[in-house]
Coordinates of all heavy atoms in Angstrom, one line a residue:
A8 N 58.9 92.5 95.4 CA 58.2 93.0 96.6 C 56.7 92.8 96.4 O 56.2 92.8 95.3 CB 58.4 94.5 96.7
S9 N 56.0 92.5 97.5 CA 54.6 92.4 97.4 C 54.0 93.5 98.3 O 54.5 93.7 99.4 CB 54.2 91.0 98.0 OG 54.7 90.0 97.2
I10 N 52.9 94.1 97.8 CA 52.2 95.1 98.6 C 50.9 94.5 99.0 O 50.1 94.0 98.2 CB 52.1 96.4 97.8 CG1 53.4 97.0 97.4 CG2 51.2 97.4 98.6 CD1 53.4 98.1 96.5
W11 N 50.6 94.6 100.3 CA 49.4 94.1 100.9 C 48.5 95.2 101.4 O 48.9 96.1 102.1 CB 49.7 93.1 102.0 CG 50.7 92.1 101.7 CD1 52.0 92.1 101.8 CD2 50.4 90.8 101.0 NE1 52.6 90.9 101.3 CE2 51.6 90.1 100.8 CE3 49.2 90.2 100.6 CZ2 51.7 88.9 100.2 CZ3 49.3 88.9 100.0 CH2 50.5 88.3 99.8
A12 N 47.2 95.1 101.0 CA 46.2 96.1 101.5 C 45.4 95.4 102.6 O 44.9 94.3 102.4 CB 45.3 96.5 100.4
N13 N 45.4 96.0 103.8 CA 44.7 95.4 104.9 C 43.6 96.4 105.3 O 43.8 97.5 105.7 CB 45.6 95.2 106.1 CG 46.7 94.3 105.7 OD1 46.5 93.1 105.4 ND2 48.0 94.8 105.8
E14 N 42.3 96.0 105.3 CA 41.2 96.8 105.6 C 41.0 96.8 107.1 O 41.0 95.7 107.8 CB 39.9 96.3 105.0 CG 40.0 96.3 103.4 CD 40.2 97.6 102.8 OE1 39.7 98.6 103.4 OE2 40.9 97.7 101.8
N15 N 40.9 98.0 107.7 CA 40.8 98.1 109.2 C 39.7 99.1 109.6 O 39.2 99.8 108.7 CB 42.2 98.6 109.8 CG 43.3 97.6 109.6 OD1 43.3 96.5 110.2 ND2 44.2 97.9 108.7
E16 N 39.4 99.1 110.9 CA 38.5 100.0 111.4 C 39.0 100.5 112.8 O 39.5 99.7 113.6 CB 37.1 99.4 111.6 CG 36.1 100.3 112.1 CD 34.7 99.7 112.2 OE1 34.4 98.7 111.5 OE2 33.9 100.2 113.1
K17 N 39.0 101.8 112.9 CA 39.4 102.4 114.2 C 38.4 103.5 114.5 O 38.2 104.4 113.7 CB 40.8 102.9 114.1 CG 41.3 103.5 115.4 CD 42.8 103.9 115.3 CE 43.3 104.4 116.7 NZ 44.7 104.8 116.6
D18 N 37.9 103.5 115.7 CA 36.9 104.5 116.2 C 35.8 104.7 115.2 O 35.4 105.8 114.9 CB 37.7 105.9 116.4 CG 38.7 105.8 117.5 OD1 38.6 105.0 118.4 OD2 39.7 106.5 117.4
G19 N 35.3 103.6 114.6 CA 34.2 103.6 113.7 C 34.6 104.1 112.3 O 33.7 104.2 111.4
Q20 N 35.9 104.4 112.0 CA 36.3 104.8 110.7 C 37.0 103.6 110.0 O 37.9 103.0 110.5 CB 37.3 105.9 110.8 CG 36.8 107.2 111.4 CD 36.3 108.1 110.3 OE1 36.4 107.8 109.1 NE2 35.8 109.3 110.7
Q21 N 36.6 103.4 108.8 CA 37.2 102.4 107.9 C 38.5 103.0 107.3 O 38.4 104.1 106.8 CB 36.3 101.9 106.8 CG 35.1 101.1 107.3 CD 35.4 99.7 107.6 OE1 35.9 99.4 108.7 NE2 35.2 98.8 106.6
F22 N 39.6 102.2 107.2 CA 40.8 102.7 106.5 C 41.5 101.5 106.0 O 41.4 100.4 106.5 CB 41.6 103.6 107.4 CG 42.3 102.9 108.6 CD1 43.6 102.4 108.5 CD2 41.6 102.7 109.7 CE1 44.2 101.7 109.5 CE2 42.1 102.0 110.8 CZ 43.4 101.5 110.7
T23 N 42.4 101.7 105.0 CA 43.3 100.7 104.5 C 44.7 101.0 104.9 O 45.2 102.1 104.7 CB 43.2 100.7 102.9 OG1 41.8 100.5 102.6 CG2 44.0 99.6 102.3
A24 N 45.3 100.0 105.5 CA 46.7 100.1 105.9 C 47.5 99.2 104.9 O 47.1 98.1 104.5 CB 47.0 99.6 107.3
Y25 N 48.6 99.7 104.4 CA 49.4 98.9 103.4 C 50.7 98.4 104.1 O 51.3 99.1 104.9 CB 49.8 99.8 102.2 CG 48.6 100.2 101.5 CD1 47.9 101.4 101.7 CD2 48.1 99.4 100.5 CE1 46.8 101.8 101.0 CE2 46.9 99.7 99.8 CZ 46.3 101.0 100.0 OH 45.2 101.3 99.3
S26 N 51.1 97.2 103.7 CA 52.4 96.7 104.2 C 53.1 96.1 103.0 O 52.5 95.8 102.0 CB 52.2 95.6 105.3 OG 51.4 94.6 104.8
V27 N 54.4 96.1 103.1 CA 55.3 95.6 102.0 C 56.1 94.5 102.5 O 56.7 94.6 103.6 CB 56.1 96.8 101.4 CG1 57.0 96.3 100.3 CG2 55.3 97.9 101.0
T28 N 56.2 93.4 101.7 CA 57.1 92.3 102.0 C 58.2 92.3 100.9 O 57.8 92.3 99.7 CB 56.4 91.0 102.0 OG1 55.3 91.0 102.9 CG2 57.3 89.8 102.3
I29 N 59.4 92.3 101.3 CA 60.5 92.1 100.3 C 61.3 90.9 100.6 O 61.7 90.7 101.8 CB 61.5 93.4 100.3 CG1 60.7 94.6 99.9 CG2 62.7 93.1 99.4 CD1 61.5 95.9 100.1
E30 N 61.4 90.0 99.7 CA 62.2 88.8 99.9 C 62.9 88.4 98.6 O 62.5 88.8 97.5 CB 61.3 87.6 100.4 CG 60.3 87.1 99.4 CD 59.4 86.0 99.9 OE1 59.4 85.7 101.1 OE2 58.7 85.4 99.1
K31 N 64.0 87.7 98.8 CA 64.8 87.2 97.7 C 64.4 85.8 97.3 O 64.2 85.0 98.2 CB 66.3 87.3 98.0 CG 67.2 86.8 96.9 CD 68.7 87.0 97.2 CE 69.2 86.1 98.3 NZ 70.6 86.1 98.5
R32 N 64.1 85.6 96.1 CA 63.8 84.2 95.6 C 65.0 83.7 94.8 O 65.6 84.4 94.0 CB 62.6 84.3 94.7 CG 61.3 84.8 95.3 CD 60.5 83.8 96.1 NE 60.0 82.8 95.1 CZ 59.7 81.6 95.5 NH1 59.8 81.2 96.8 NH2 59.3 80.7 94.7
Y33 N 65.3 82.4 95.0 CA 66.4 81.8 94.3 C 66.1 80.4 94.1 O 65.3 79.8 94.8 CB 67.7 82.0 95.0 CG 67.8 81.3 96.4 CD1 68.4 80.1 96.5 CD2 67.2 81.9 97.5 CE1 68.4 79.4 97.7 CE2 67.3 81.3 98.7 CZ 67.9 80.0 98.8 OH 67.9 79.4 100.1
Q34 N 66.8 79.8 93.1 CA 66.6 78.4 92.7 C 67.9 77.6 93.1 O 69.0 78.1 92.8 CB 66.3 78.3 91.2 CG 65.7 76.9 90.9 CD 65.2 76.9 89.4 OE1 65.7 77.7 88.6 NE2 64.4 76.0 89.1
K35 N 67.6 76.5 93.8 CA 68.8 75.7 94.2 C 68.3 74.2 94.0 O 67.3 73.8 94.5 CB 69.1 75.9 95.7 CG 70.2 75.1 96.2 CD 70.5 75.5 97.7 CE 71.7 74.7 98.2 NZ 71.9 75.0 99.7
E36 N 69.1 73.5 93.2 CA 68.9 72.1 92.9 C 67.5 71.9 92.4 O 66.8 71.0 92.8 CB 69.2 71.3 94.2 CG 70.6 71.4 94.7 CD 70.8 70.6 96.0 OE1 69.9 70.0 96.5 OE2 71.9 70.7 96.5
G37 N 67.0 72.8 91.5 CA 65.7 72.7 90.9 C 64.5 73.1 91.7 O 63.4 73.1 91.2
S38 N 64.7 73.6 92.9 CA 63.6 74.0 93.8 C 63.8 75.5 94.1 O 64.9 76.0 94.3 CB 63.6 73.2 95.1 OG 63.4 71.9 94.9
W39 N 62.6 76.2 94.2 CA 62.6 77.6 94.5 C 62.6 77.8 96.0 O 61.9 77.1 96.7 CB 61.4 78.3 93.8 CG 61.6 78.5 92.4 CD1 61.2 77.7 91.4 CD2 62.4 79.6 91.8 NE1 61.6 78.3 90.2 CE2 62.4 79.4 90.4 CE3 63.1 80.7 92.3 CZ2 63.0 80.2 89.5 CZ3 63.7 81.5 91.4 CH2 63.7 81.3 90.0
H40 N 63.3 78.8 96.5 CA 63.4 79.1 97.9 C 63.3 80.6 98.1 O 63.5 81.4 97.1 CB 64.8 78.6 98.5 CG 65.1 77.2 98.3 ND1 64.7 76.2 99.2 CD2 65.7 76.5 97.3 CE1 65.0 75.1 98.8 NE2 65.7 75.2 97.6
S41 N 62.9 81.0 99.3 CA 62.8 82.4 99.7 C 63.7 82.7 100.9 O 63.9 81.8 101.7 CB 61.4 82.8 100.0 OG 60.5 82.6 99.0
T42 N 64.2 83.9 100.9 CA 65.0 84.3 102.1 C 64.9 85.8 102.2 O 64.6 86.6 101.2 CB 66.5 83.9 102.0 OG1 67.2 84.3 103.2 CG2 67.2 84.6 100.8
S43 N 65.1 86.3 103.4 CA 65.1 87.8 103.7 C 66.5 88.2 103.9 O 66.8 89.4 104.0 CB 64.3 88.1 104.9 OG 64.7 87.4 106.0
S44 N 67.5 87.3 103.8 CA 68.9 87.6 103.9 C 69.4 88.1 102.6 O 69.1 87.5 101.5 CB 69.7 86.4 104.4 OG 69.4 86.0 105.6
L45 N 70.2 89.2 102.6 CA 70.7 89.8 101.4 C 72.2 89.9 101.5 O 72.8 90.2 102.6 CB 70.1 91.1 101.2 CG 68.6 91.2 101.1 CD1 68.1 92.6 101.2 CD2 68.1 90.6 99.8
N46 N 72.9 89.8 100.4 CA 74.3 90.0 100.3 C 74.5 91.5 100.1 O 73.6 92.3 99.7 CB 74.9 89.3 99.1 CG 74.8 87.8 99.1 OD1 75.0 87.3 100.2 ND2 74.4 87.2 98.0
A47 N 75.7 92.0 100.5 CA 76.0 93.5 100.4 C 75.7 93.9 98.9 O 75.3 95.1 98.7 CB 77.4 93.7 100.8
D48 N 76.1 93.1 97.9 CA 75.9 93.5 96.5 C 74.4 93.7 96.1 O 74.1 94.3 95.1 CB 76.5 92.5 95.6 CG 78.0 92.4 95.8 OD1 78.6 93.3 96.3 OD2 78.6 91.4 95.3
E49 N 73.5 93.2 96.9 CA 72.1 93.2 96.6 C 71.4 94.4 97.3 O 70.2 94.7 97.0 CB 71.4 91.9 97.0 CG 71.9 90.7 96.3 CD 71.5 89.4 96.9 OE1 71.4 89.3 98.1 OE2 71.3 88.5 96.1
L50 N 72.1 95.1 98.2 CA 71.4 96.2 98.9 C 71.0 97.4 98.1 O 69.9 97.9 98.4 CB 72.4 96.7 100.1 CG 72.7 95.6 101.1 CD1 73.7 96.2 102.1 CD2 71.4 95.2 101.8
L51 N 71.7 97.8 97.1 CA 71.3 98.9 96.3 C 70.0 98.6 95.5 O 69.1 99.4 95.4 CB 72.4 99.3 95.3 CG 72.2 100.6 94.5 CD1 72.0 101.8 95.5 CD2 73.4 100.9 93.7
T52 N 70.0 97.3 94.9 CA 68.8 96.9 94.2 C 67.6 96.9 95.2 O 66.5 97.3 94.9 CB 69.0 95.5 93.6 OG1 70.1 95.6 92.7 CG2 67.7 95.1 92.9
T53 N 67.8 96.4 96.4 CA 66.8 96.3 97.4 C 66.3 97.7 97.8 O 65.1 97.9 98.0 CB 67.2 95.6 98.7 OG1 67.7 94.3 98.2 CG2 66.1 95.4 99.7
A54 N 67.2 98.7 97.9 CA 66.8 100.1 98.2 C 65.9 100.6 97.1 O 65.0 101.3 97.3 CB 68.1 100.9 98.4
Y55 N 66.3 100.3 95.8 CA 65.5 100.7 94.7 C 64.1 100.1 94.8 O 63.1 100.8 94.6 CB 66.2 100.3 93.4 CG 65.3 100.7 92.2 CD1 65.3 101.9 91.7 CD2 64.6 99.7 91.5 CE1 64.6 102.3 90.5 CE2 63.9 100.0 90.4 CZ 63.8 101.3 89.9 OH 63.1 101.6 88.8
V56 N 64.0 98.8 95.1 CA 62.7 98.2 95.2 C 61.9 98.8 96.3 O 60.7 99.0 96.2 CB 62.9 96.6 95.4 CG1 61.6 96.0 95.8 CG2 63.4 96.0 94.1
A57 N 62.5 99.1 97.4 CA 61.8 99.7 98.6 C 61.3 101.1 98.2 O 60.2 101.5 98.5 CB 62.8 99.8 99.8
T58 N 62.1 101.9 97.5 CA 61.7 103.2 97.0 C 60.5 103.1 96.1 O 59.5 103.8 96.2 CB 62.8 103.9 96.3 OG1 63.9 104.1 97.2 CG2 62.4 105.3 95.8
K59 N 60.5 102.2 95.1 CA 59.4 102.0 94.2 C 58.2 101.5 95.0 O 57.0 101.9 94.7 CB 59.8 101.0 93.1 CG 60.7 101.6 92.1 CD 60.1 102.8 91.4 CE 60.9 103.3 90.3 NZ 60.2 104.5 89.7
S60 N 58.3 100.7 96.0 CA 57.2 100.2 96.8 C 56.6 101.4 97.5 O 55.4 101.5 97.6 CB 57.7 99.1 97.8 OG 58.1 98.0 97.1
F61 N 57.4 102.3 98.1 CA 56.9 103.4 98.8 C 56.1 104.3 97.9 O 55.0 104.8 98.2 CB 58.1 104.2 99.4 CG 57.7 105.5 100.0 CD1 57.1 105.5 101.3 CD2 57.8 106.7 99.3 CE1 56.7 106.7 101.9 CE2 57.4 107.9 99.9 CZ 56.8 107.9 101.2
E62 N 56.6 104.5 96.6 CA 55.9 105.3 95.7 C 54.6 104.7 95.3 O 53.6 105.4 95.2 CB 56.8 105.5 94.4 CG 58.0 106.3 94.6 CD 58.9 106.3 93.4 OE1 58.6 105.6 92.4 OE2 60.0 107.0 93.4
K63 N 54.5 103.4 95.2 CA 53.2 102.7 94.9 C 52.2 102.9 96.0 O 51.1 103.1 95.8 CB 53.5 101.3 94.5 CG 52.2 100.5 94.1 CD 51.6 101.1 92.8 CE 50.4 100.4 92.4 NZ 49.8 100.9 91.2
V64 N 52.7 102.6 97.2 CA 51.8 102.8 98.4 C 51.3 104.2 98.5 O 50.1 104.4 98.8 CB 52.6 102.3 99.7 CG1 51.8 102.7 100.9 CG2 52.8 100.8 99.7
S65 N 52.2 105.2 98.3 CA 51.7 106.6 98.3 C 50.7 106.8 97.3 O 49.7 107.5 97.5 CB 52.9 107.5 98.0 OG 53.9 107.4 99.1
Q66 N 50.8 106.3 96.1 CA 49.8 106.4 95.0 C 48.5 105.7 95.4 O 47.4 106.3 95.3 CB 50.4 105.7 93.7 CG 49.4 105.7 92.6 CD 49.8 104.9 91.4 OE1 50.7 104.1 91.5 NE2 49.3 105.2 90.2
L67 N 48.6 104.5 96.0 CA 47.4 103.8 96.5 C 46.7 104.6 97.6 O 45.4 104.7 97.6 CB 47.7 102.4 97.0 CG 48.2 101.5 95.9 CD1 48.8 100.2 96.5 CD2 47.1 101.1 95.0
R68 N 47.4 105.2 98.5 CA 46.8 106.0 99.5 C 46.1 107.2 99.0 O 45.0 107.6 99.4 CB 47.9 106.5 100.5 CG 48.3 105.4 101.5 CD 49.4 106.0 102.4 NE 49.8 105.0 103.4 CZ 50.9 105.1 104.1 NH1 51.7 106.1 103.9 NH2 51.2 104.2 105.0
S69 N 46.8 107.8 98.0 CA 46.2 109.0 97.4 C 44.9 108.7 96.6 O 43.9 109.4 96.7 CB 47.2 109.6 96.4 OG 46.6 110.7 95.7
Q70 N 44.9 107.5 96.0 CA 43.7 107.1 95.3 C 42.5 106.8 96.2 O 41.4 107.1 95.9 CB 44.0 105.9 94.4 CG 44.8 106.1 93.2 CD 45.2 104.8 92.5 OE1 45.0 103.7 93.0 NE2 45.9 105.0 91.4
S71 N 42.8 106.2 97.4 CA 41.8 105.9 98.3 C 41.2 107.1 99.0 O 40.0 107.2 99.4 CB 42.3 104.9 99.4 OG 43.1 105.5 100.3
V72 N 42.0 108.2 99.1 CA 41.5 109.5 99.7 C 40.6 110.1 98.7 O 39.5 110.7 99.0 CB 42.7 110.4 100.0 CG1 42.2 111.8 100.4 CG2 43.5 109.8 101.2
E73 N 40.9 110.0 97.4 CA 40.1 110.6 96.3 C 38.7 109.9 96.2 O 37.8 110.6 95.7 CB 40.8 110.6 95.0 CG 42.1 111.5 95.0 CD 42.9 111.3 93.8 OE1 42.5 110.5 92.9 OE2 44.0 111.9 93.7
S74 N 38.6 108.6 96.5 CA 37.4 107.9 96.3 C 36.4 108.1 97.4 O 36.5 108.6 98.4 CB 37.5 106.5 96.0 OG 38.7 105.9 96.3

């Protein structure tokens, strides 16, 4: 998963919005590829990655409020 921080402004207020990208990387015939399609067997691992991403974004939001 990749977490992206996007700096924004609304009504004169600066804020950071976070987004998360989850993709599967695999190697085929010596080349790396990406896909967002998952097999049923990969869903539990993806749910774990999504949960950990949520925890990290929550931590980042908390840190930005403190600063």
Side-chain angles (χ1 to χ4, degrees):
S9 298
I10 299 173
W11 305 94
N13 301 298
E14 301 299 326
N15 294 292
E16 183 178 335
K17 183 176 181 180
D18 299 328
Q20 295 268 1
Q21 293 280 87
F22 67 96
T23 304
Y25 296 94
S26 59
V27 178
T28 303
I29 297 175
E30 65 180 14
K31 178 171 73 172
R32 300 276 296 156
Y33 64 97
Q34 197 170 19
K35 182 178 179 181
E36 299 174 3
S38 297
W39 284 97
H40 302 273
S41 298
T42 184
S43 58
S44 295
L45 303 165
N46 298 319
D48 293 344
E49 298 166 324
L50 293 176
L51 188 57
T52 301
T53 303
Y55 176 78
V56 169
T58 299
K59 288 299 190 181
S60 297
F61 175 79
E62 290 171 0
K63 183 62 178 180
V64 168
S65 295
Q66 177 188 21
L67 292 168
R68 284 180 176 163
S69 176
Q70 289 172 353
S71 72
V72 170
E73 293 172 2
S74 15

